[in-house]
Amino acid sequence: MADDTASMSIYRASRTIKKKHSSLFNSLLSIHEDSIFVSEIAQLWPQLPLVANLRCGLWYAKKFHSSCYFKSTDGHTNNLSFNTSRLNLHVATLAGQRGGCMIVDSTRKGKRFPDSMSKTIPIWTCVLNRAISNYRNKMNGINKPTEGVNCSTPNPDTTVQESPKWDTSLHLPLWVPDTEKTRIESNLNKWVDTFETSGVDIASISSLLKKPLRPLWISQKTVIWLNEVPDHNSWDFTPIILISASASNDIYRQKKSSEFSWNYIAGAGDDEESWARGLTPPMFWNNVYDLINSGPDVCNQMVANIVERDRVFRAQRGQNAPQFSVKLTKVESTWSAQFRDQLLDVIMENGINGDLLDDGNGIYWLGLTDLAVCSTGYDFKSSDVDSILNCDQNQIHCTLKDSEAYLHLPIVNSKFDRFSLQRNLPSALNFAKLHLKMGKRLVVCCNSGEDISVCVCLAILISLFNAEGTYDGGKFLKETRITKLDMRQRLIFVCKYVVNARPSRGNLKQVYNFLATVTNMSDTDVRGVCPL
């Protein structure tokens, strides 16, 4: 019994030490220190746009040109994949327009780079390069597929100046073992086929990219001679510079400032729910010097004041502003996650992602469909919106000419109700059909504008539009047996415009199950569509 008490005491002591090291003050100072490194690297190639890999990367710079979503899980050893629901095509477009880009991320695990940078992005660049090469070969009458070789693609009629050789080989960092490289290469052609048959507009990407994509890796251990920094235009590829923000040697390292001692935390921006107390990257950077100079005794209260001040500001403007609780229950953690996602949208609304939006204000119009996606924090007064479908749990304040042009469907995430979205889809489709057939512009919103609203729009597109994206009131759905390929293509169409879309697997599955009951699709097809 005494041994048990002693072991429990050691356990509690270790937890206390870990909690102290992982304090809010330590996290914020660590992020600030790492951001200096990111800023220094960004200044080496000032012409290249800085892109944050969600969500951790958002903490490491005050302003980003855009954001992306490459998941580390897609690069895990036993889960290697190329995910068509996270194509990040806007990154390829941006790199083609600007001659490359820099992506910022970090990791807590003591590694130099997260798996998203070591494997997920290299797989992505290779698949896109091979698909573009295949497309150009096809246009030139060459049907031979590319398998990791440099393919010459002469085309005298092209309007794009191409590199003499188009590199389609797989480029991985040195620390990825050969066995894993072999495993990736064995799947590349299959992933290229999936990409090519998904309905992606490869021609548009090909017209923008003058040189093949290629990842480069930079960490705090990378040696760069400042008098020999190459011009990115001198490379024979389009660089995707992967910046791992944090030092990788020790997870905790004692440091001192002019007034305080603190512990450095590698990858401090990761898993923000566990330490940020409702603070978001915009709040942090708007108050950065006050926070890092506050000291460990005052920091927590200062963050609480900042979060509450922002909540009041949003509440006074009729926006969704739930209170944040430090001691989280399961239900309260749901609210904190929603609060976090909503405040992420502030970044998009403030113009960091503005060049990718139709109006720069946080609303994404899906081509010419009169259908749009946004978060509930969007200011509807400033846009030409005829009808609103609100899928958030809370009501929003909006003024529409027709009182019947607003519908509130309180849909919750699949983690808390596996059938909430599926139950509400019939009402959502009826509402959408009523207004779209009259030529009205419909906006579908949810708390984050990234998940539930995206899935509802996907269901509307499949149910009420034909394959060309023209409204037909459901005629195409009645006459055609929807396949998993059709669904994947529609999702890619949505993600083409909603560049911050992050539909969850559980919510996507509800859409597929609903459509399966409508079209009498087989269970096998439903299962085949879910792992997008």
Side-chain angles (χ1 to χ4, degrees):
M1 187 71 180
D3 290 339
D4 291 341
T5 305
S7 62
M8 284 297 293
S9 298
I10 293 172
Y11 171 77
R12 288 174 181 170
S14 64
R15 292 288 297 176
T16 301
I17 293 171
K18 184 177 180 180
K19 185 177 180 180
K20 182 179 179 181
H21 284 174
S22 303
S23 69
L24 179 58
F25 183 70
N26 288 339
S27 296
L28 296 181
L29 260 71
S30 301
I31 289 171
H32 182 258
E33 180 168 290
D34 291 338
S35 72
I36 297 173
F37 166 72
V38 172
S39 177
E40 291 173 347
I41 298 301
Q43 290 173 13
L44 297 179
W45 295 280
Q47 302 89 352
L48 298 183
L50 197 64
V51 180
N53 194 30
L54 297 176
R55 294 184 326 260
C56 178
L58 280 170
W59 287 94
Y60 291 97
K62 184 174 183 178
K63 186 173 182 179
F64 286 95
H65 188 275
S66 182
S67 64
C68 59
Y69 188 43
F70 293 99
K71 287 194 70 174
S72 288
T73 52
D74 292 335
H76 286 176
T77 301
N78 296 319
N79 191 47
L80 296 169
S81 63
F82 179 80
N83 200 306
T84 54
S85 66
R86 294 185 286 273
L87 286 177
N88 293 287
L89 296 180
H90 64 286
V91 178
T93 300
L94 189 60
Q97 292 170 340
R98 302 287 289 273
C101 70
M102 293 180 280
I103 300 178
V104 179
D105 202 352
S106 185
T107 180
R108 277 183 179 268
K109 298 181 178 179
K111 298 184 293 186
R112 289 180 65 186
F113 292 86
D115 285 341
S116 60
M117 291 184 166
S118 295
K119 285 170 279 187
T120 304
I121 295 178
I123 290 172
W124 175 80
T125 58
C126 184
V127 169
L128 263 63
N129 285 338
R130 292 192 180 191
I132 291 172
S133 180
N134 289 344
Y135 168 78
R136 292 179 177 179
N137 289 341
K138 183 179 179 181
M139 293 297 101
N140 291 318
I142 304 172
N143 296 320
K144 183 180 178 180
T146 57
E147 296 185 1
V149 296
N150 290 335
C151 296
S152 178
T153 58
N155 184 356
D157 299 325
T158 183
T159 58
V160 178
Q161 181 183 358
E162 302 173 0
S163 58
K165 293 183 178 180
W166 192 264
D167 184 11
T168 61
S169 55
L170 175 66
H171 295 279
L172 292 171
L174 296 176
W175 54 86
V176 175
D178 291 339
T179 54
E180 206 158 356
K181 181 178 181 180
T182 302
R183 190 179 305 166
I184 293 173
E185 288 180 329
S186 67
N187 286 291
L188 279 173
N189 287 337
K190 177 184 68 176
W191 293 332
V192 172
D193 290 340
T194 300
F195 180 74
E196 290 176 334
T197 57
S198 65
V200 172
D201 187 4
I202 301 176
S204 296
I205 303 173
S206 175
S207 66
L208 288 171
L209 281 173
K210 300 177 182 179
K211 304 173 185 178
L213 299 168
R214 181 169 176 175
L216 300 175
W217 296 268
I218 295 180
S219 72
Q220 293 195 24
K221 287 187 175 182
T222 304
V223 177
I224 300 177
W225 300 103
L226 297 180
N227 61 337
E228 297 180 4
V229 176
D231 183 355
H232 70 278
N233 289 317
S234 67
W235 290 322
D236 60 356
F237 54 85
T238 302
I240 305 295
I241 300 176
L242 308 178
I243 305 173
S244 183
S246 297
S248 59
N249 45 3
D250 296 324
I251 297 178
Y252 299 111
R253 193 167 71 241
Q254 188 76 26
K255 307 202 77 171
K256 289 185 179 181
S257 63
S258 57
E259 297 182 47
F260 312 104
S261 62
W262 54 284
N263 295 291
Y264 174 80
I265 304 173
D270 195 17
D271 192 24
E272 61 193 52
E273 298 93 339
S274 65
W275 61 267
R277 296 173 174 251
L279 191 72
T280 63
M283 293 183 201
F284 170 64
W285 286 107
N286 288 336
N287 302 274
V288 58
Y289 295 112
D290 291 335
L291 287 169
I292 64 176
N293 293 317
S294 63
D297 298 329
V298 182
C299 183
N300 287 7
Q301 185 57 50
M302 183 175 289
V303 167
N305 294 339
I306 292 170
V307 172
E308 178 61 15
R309 195 161 58 239
D310 182 83
R311 187 194 70 81
V312 172
F313 177 84
R314 297 175 72 86
Q316 289 174 344
R317 283 152 184 78
Q319 300 175 9
N320 184 26
Q323 285 187 313
F324 179 82
S325 175
V326 175
K327 294 182 178 180
L328 298 174
T329 63
K330 184 175 182 179
V331 175
E332 289 169 335
S333 63
T334 311
W335 283 107
S336 68
Q338 293 173 340
F339 187 41
R340 172 207 71 219
D341 287 338
Q342 184 184 23
L343 289 168
L344 266 178
D345 292 318
V346 176
I347 298 173
M348 304 304 174
E349 292 170 8
N350 285 342
I352 293 177
N353 210 27
D355 62 308
L356 299 172
L357 307 181
D358 286 343
D359 59 7
N361 292 317
I363 187 168
Y364 300 84
W365 290 99
L366 306 184
L368 302 177
T369 62
D370 286 334
L371 192 62
V373 174
C374 71
S375 72
T376 50
Y378 177 71
D379 183 10
F380 293 98
K381 297 178 183 178
S382 63
S383 64
D384 183 18
V385 174
D386 300 316
S387 51
I388 298 173
L389 174 56
N390 177 19
C391 302
D392 191 15
Q393 295 184 56
N394 299 314
Q395 292 278 5
I396 59 173
H397 297 279
C398 59
T399 55
L400 297 172
K401 296 179 181 179
D402 183 5
S403 60
E404 300 296 323
Y406 173 82
L407 177 64
H408 179 216
L409 298 175
I411 302 174
V412 299
N413 192 282
S414 60
K415 291 182 179 179
F416 304 97
D417 187 340
R418 292 186 299 161
F419 305 103
S420 178
L421 176 59
Q422 189 171 340
R423 285 196 306 269
N424 284 282
L425 278 179
S427 299
L429 292 176
N430 289 335
F431 179 80
K433 185 175 183 179
L434 175 65
H435 294 278
L436 289 173
K437 71 179 182 181
M438 295 186 290
K440 292 185 177 181
R441 289 159 65 86
L442 170 66
V443 171
V444 182
C445 61
C446 67
N447 186 273
S448 66
E450 300 172 355
D451 186 1
I452 294 175
S453 56
V454 170
C455 291
V456 172
C457 276
L458 175 64
I460 293 173
L461 281 173
I462 295 174
S463 302
L464 302 178
F465 290 77
N466 61 21
E468 287 72 38
T470 304
Y471 177 82
D472 67 357
K475 183 178 179 181
F476 176 79
L477 184 67
K478 294 178 181 178
E479 298 177 350
T480 308
R481 184 176 183 271
I482 299 297
T483 66
K484 58 184 179 182
L485 179 59
D486 294 324
M487 294 183 176
R488 185 179 290 113
Q489 290 175 343
R490 298 298 179 94
L491 179 59
I492 289 173
F493 173 81
V494 174
C495 293
K496 174 182 177 181
Y497 296 98
V498 190
V499 295
N500 68 327
R502 293 193 290 165
S504 65
R505 187 180 186 277
N507 287 334
L508 284 174
K509 187 175 182 179
Q510 291 182 69
V511 175
Y512 303 141
N513 288 339
F514 169 79
L515 291 170
T517 61
V518 174
T519 61
N520 294 321
M521 186 166 31
S522 70
D523 292 340
T524 303
D525 280 342
V526 174
R527 285 196 299 271
V529 173
C530 291
L532 288 174

